[in-house]
Amino acid sequence: MATPAEEPRHPSVTSVHIDDDKMRSMSITNPNVSQLMADAAKGTEAEHQMTIWQSLKLYPAAVGWSVLLSTAIVMEGFDIVLIANLLALPAFKLAFGELQPDGSYELTAAWQSGLTNGAYVGEVLGLLIMGVVAERIGYRKTMIGALVALTGLIFIVFFVQSLPQLLTGLILMGIPWGVFQTLTTTYAAEVCPVSLRAYLTTYVNLCWVIGQFLASGVLKGVSNRTDEWGYRIPYALQWIWPIPLIIGIYLAPESPWWLVRKERHQEAKRMLLRLTSRNSPSFNPDETIAMMVHTNELEKATTKGSSYIDCFRKTDLRRTEIASVAWFIQSFCGASFMGFSTYFYEQAGLDVSHAFSLSLAQYALGAIGTLLSWFLMTRFGRRTLYVYGQAIMCCLLLIIGFCGLADPGNGGAQWAIGSMLLIFTFVYDSTVGPVCYSLVAEIPSTRLRQKTVVLARNLYNVGSIITNILTPRMLNPGAWNWGAKSGFFFAGTCFLCFVWSFFRLPEPKGRTYAELDMLFEKKVAARKFKGAVVEMFEAGEGEPFDGEKGGLEEKNVVSHVEHV
């Protein structure tokens, strides 16, 4: 029977090996590099052979702690929907809107854009600060500090008396929200094995949907109030979240990957043991830590620095581009329609009660879609869902645009628009919405992951600011008044996003972080990632490498993954 190294390969299959010069570089800083690579090979093989059920049995604590930290996104999803959909609340419009010719009150398009963008401006600041602070003091301390700050900032929006005061409060609250957006995803990506990575990173999207659903339910409950408590009650409910989260995160273990990057290997092992089950005699924590150390050393041999500027050097430039554009696509694929859903339903001709009811149905479908994405990713992978999801959404946006050509008094067309938005939400939350979180957490190198995710999220925030300027003007009767015809604009941008994804987005499914490092280092084309063979622990040229002679003595330590 042929060994893996002797198996015949199809000519079109890409095979990558570790470079000799990187092996030598690693041997200089690690005298026992042969033993390190042997242990890392065993740890890598163990991760590849681990089924989902075995992962859940071995890493139950990791799942629980990741879910706890991701709950912070429920709070953020609640708050973000509150900002956009308060614009449709009668009490809020009466307090801060301007009298229209028909006797109703409406916020100007400028203030609609300003309020929705205020939070994103704060998030940009928070993300840039967090990228440096989190890598220096760790994930837990950064999250706790952000939650403490948010608890005090809620007072500003609760006692709001004017739109400028509300805008100031939203900008300041955006700073800790920026922390939640990325730390929850990167923590999930670092505390779990390969087989659970997709589930825990995309769970962040489910938390978004849960927060959006809760906010819509609260807004529907106060939609008939015309006094100031109609908008003060939703803001007051934000105080429910921080204290329980602070207590839980204080007790949570730190990321072992972060500790390895800080050369605190024994502490990383202790945290790994806290994340895993004690009733698994076959699990070897030393081999798993060796895999982390090997990945870290391999990346250090490729790029020495770990600053923001290093995200734009060598192979990390491509990884930054992929993570950033993948997140930017969420802004321009038409998802902003969902953020303004209640307002959009009203402008389409539905009354306030029906508008909030459809929003609740929309977010319920979003939750179901996110759960479905877990099974779809297992079957089809990240790239396939991202590409074909955008193609379907482009078609739905065209349908919405054509329905907008109907007479405003056509009730059938109005309900068709609402129905298409519901289907759009389901497709988005089955594909692009959750898969994005998995992609941006997996694509960056481990040493630059935090900063790459920060840059990616900030590009998303810039895109959201642009769409939040455009969308209110498209929908506002006092501005462009496009209504559902706005679907044509976003169908065009969604198609452009589809083209980029088809040519530039790789498939990270089933890869360890070290294997992804190899594929990017060898500049493997995006469409060849899935079928590439990665030989992590074998030199590509010359004699077998050991720490002294320039080769690896244990040449039988070879890892083949995704063999085609």
Side-chain angles (χ1 to χ4, degrees):
M1 180 175 178
T3 64
E6 298 169 342
E7 292 178 2
R9 294 176 184 158
H10 192 277
S12 64
V13 174
T14 301
S15 179
V16 296
H17 301 254
I18 189 170
D19 291 337
D20 286 338
D21 57 347
K22 289 186 175 55
M23 299 278 281
R24 294 188 183 95
S25 177
M26 291 172 62
S27 69
I28 293 172
T29 55
N30 295 272
N32 297 321
V33 66
S34 295
Q35 184 61 49
L36 172 66
M37 295 182 71
D39 291 341
K42 294 175 184 177
T44 301
E45 184 65 20
E47 287 224 354
H48 280 306
Q49 292 181 350
M50 200 181 301
T51 65
I52 295 174
W53 177 243
Q54 289 171 336
S55 300
L56 289 171
K57 289 177 65 177
L58 181 58
Y59 285 87
V63 173
W65 290 119
S66 177
V67 167
L68 173 68
L69 263 72
S70 297
T71 306
I73 297 296
V74 176
M75 174 177 59
E76 189 194 357
F78 182 93
D79 297 343
I80 293 296
V81 167
L82 221 58
I83 297 170
N85 287 332
L86 272 176
L87 305 178
L89 199 67
F92 188 83
K93 292 194 290 187
L94 185 62
F96 302 106
E98 295 183 359
L99 183 63
Q100 303 297 306
D102 62 359
S104 64
Y105 284 84
E106 197 76 50
L107 265 72
T108 64
W111 270 112
Q112 288 178 353
S113 299
L115 292 176
T116 51
N117 284 336
Y120 288 113
V121 171
E123 287 171 5
V124 170
L125 299 174
L127 284 164
L128 291 173
I129 296 170
M130 184 275 302
V132 176
V133 173
E135 193 59 32
R136 179 170 297 180
I137 68 173
Y139 296 178
R140 292 170 55 256
K141 293 179 181 178
T142 306
M143 282 285 290
I144 291 172
L147 286 164
V148 171
L150 184 64
T151 304
L153 293 173
I154 294 173
F155 282 96
I156 298 176
V157 296
F158 178 74
F159 291 107
V160 63
Q161 298 293 327
S162 65
L163 290 176
Q165 180 186 347
L166 178 59
L167 178 60
T168 302
L170 293 176
I171 292 174
L172 293 175
M173 290 176 69
I175 295 175
W177 287 344
V179 174
F180 306 148
Q181 287 175 341
T182 55
L183 271 187
T184 51
T185 307
T186 52
Y187 184 86
E190 293 191 357
V191 298
C192 64
V194 171
S195 54
L196 293 180
R197 208 162 59 199
Y199 301 99
L200 292 181
T201 52
T202 55
Y203 174 75
V204 172
N205 187 76
L206 180 60
C207 291
W208 260 96
V209 174
I210 293 172
Q212 292 169 332
F213 181 84
L214 292 174
S216 294
V218 169
L219 290 171
K220 179 175 173 61
V222 298
S223 61
N224 293 325
R225 298 188 68 113
T226 57
D227 60 356
E228 63 179 15
W229 289 103
Y231 56 88
R232 292 198 192 280
I233 289 175
Y235 281 131
L237 292 176
Q238 294 176 95
W239 275 309
I240 294 175
W241 309 100
I243 300 301
L245 285 172
I246 290 172
I247 296 172
I249 294 171
Y250 176 79
L251 299 174
E254 187 55 85
S255 163
W257 281 93
W258 179 79
L259 292 167
V260 166
R261 292 195 292 272
K262 296 297 180 182
E263 308 291 341
R264 294 153 62 177
H265 298 165
Q266 289 302 316
E267 192 175 349
K269 181 180 176 180
R270 289 199 300 272
M271 294 301 105
L272 180 63
L273 291 173
R274 285 189 61 190
L275 292 166
T276 53
S277 173
R278 298 180 181 179
N279 300 320
S280 301
S282 60
F283 173 66
N284 189 327
D286 291 315
E287 293 174 354
T288 302
I289 294 298
M291 180 186 66
M292 297 179 185
V293 174
H294 172 262
T295 303
N296 187 54
E297 293 300 324
L298 183 64
E299 292 181 1
K300 285 166 65 177
T302 303
T303 175
K304 298 295 184 182
S306 58
S307 63
Y308 278 115
I309 195 65
D310 292 299
C311 296
F312 301 96
R313 290 174 174 163
K314 299 181 179 179
T315 56
D316 288 302
L317 174 61
R318 181 186 175 193
R319 303 174 86 157
T320 301
E321 176 218 334
I322 293 169
S324 299
V325 178
W327 221 332
F328 182 79
I329 284 172
Q330 282 196 336
S331 299
F332 275 89
C333 67
S336 61
F337 271 170
M338 298 186 300
F340 288 87
S341 59
T342 307
Y343 184 83
F344 185 86
Y345 292 137
E346 283 190 345
Q347 297 305 317
L350 304 179
D351 60 36
V352 175
S353 179
H354 282 146
F356 278 111
S357 295
L358 274 178
S359 292
L360 286 171
Q362 169 183 308
Y363 295 128
L365 281 174
I368 296 171
T370 301
L371 295 174
L372 177 62
S373 73
W374 293 352
F375 299 97
L376 295 177
M377 275 192 293
T378 303
R379 177 67 178 85
F380 300 106
R382 281 64 141 170
R383 171 186 162 86
T384 301
L385 286 186
Y386 222 68
V387 171
Y388 286 97
Q390 290 171 69
I392 296 171
M393 290 190 296
C394 184
C395 296
L396 292 172
L397 289 166
L398 285 173
I399 295 173
I400 291 173
F402 282 115
C403 288
L405 298 176
D407 185 87
N410 189 327
Q414 294 165 6
W415 280 104
I417 293 168
S419 300
M420 288 300 102
L421 269 176
L422 293 178
I423 297 173
F424 180 93
T425 301
F426 179 76
V427 173
Y428 173 85
D429 284 306
S430 301
T431 57
V432 173
V435 175
C436 176
Y437 288 95
S438 182
L439 287 170
V440 298
E442 292 176 305
I443 292 298
S445 62
T446 60
R447 289 176 60 78
L448 292 172
R449 178 182 291 121
Q450 195 59 54
K451 291 180 174 64
T452 304
V453 173
V454 165
L455 293 171
R457 185 67 187 192
N458 269 341
L459 185 61
Y460 164 82
N461 286 338
V462 170
S464 297
I465 289 172
I466 295 171
T467 54
N468 284 337
I469 292 172
L470 296 176
T471 306
R473 285 167 170 75
M474 293 177 184
L475 304 181
N476 196 303
W480 302 344
N481 196 26
W482 290 4
K485 292 189 288 293
S486 308
F488 289 127
F489 173 85
F490 285 109
T493 57
C494 187
F495 176 75
L496 295 176
C497 295
F498 163 80
V499 172
W500 177 90
S501 299
F502 183 81
F503 289 104
R504 297 293 291 168
L505 188 66
E507 176 57 76
K509 176 189 174 185
R511 303 291 192 184
T512 64
Y513 294 127
E515 289 163 353
L516 289 171
D517 290 340
M518 291 281 292
L519 290 168
F520 279 110
E521 178 68 19
K522 297 301 181 180
K523 300 180 180 179
V524 176
R527 285 172 287 174
K528 293 184 178 180
F529 259 58
K530 183 176 181 180
V533 176
V534 182
E535 297 175 341
M536 275 299 307
F537 305 100
E538 184 181 68
E541 303 290 344
E543 296 297 321
F545 184 88
D546 64 20
E548 298 175 359
K549 299 179 181 179
L552 177 64
E553 293 175 340
E554 301 182 36
K555 191 173 181 178
N556 63 320
V557 183
V558 179
S559 174
H560 289 267
V561 294
E562 302 271 357
H563 183 70
V564 178

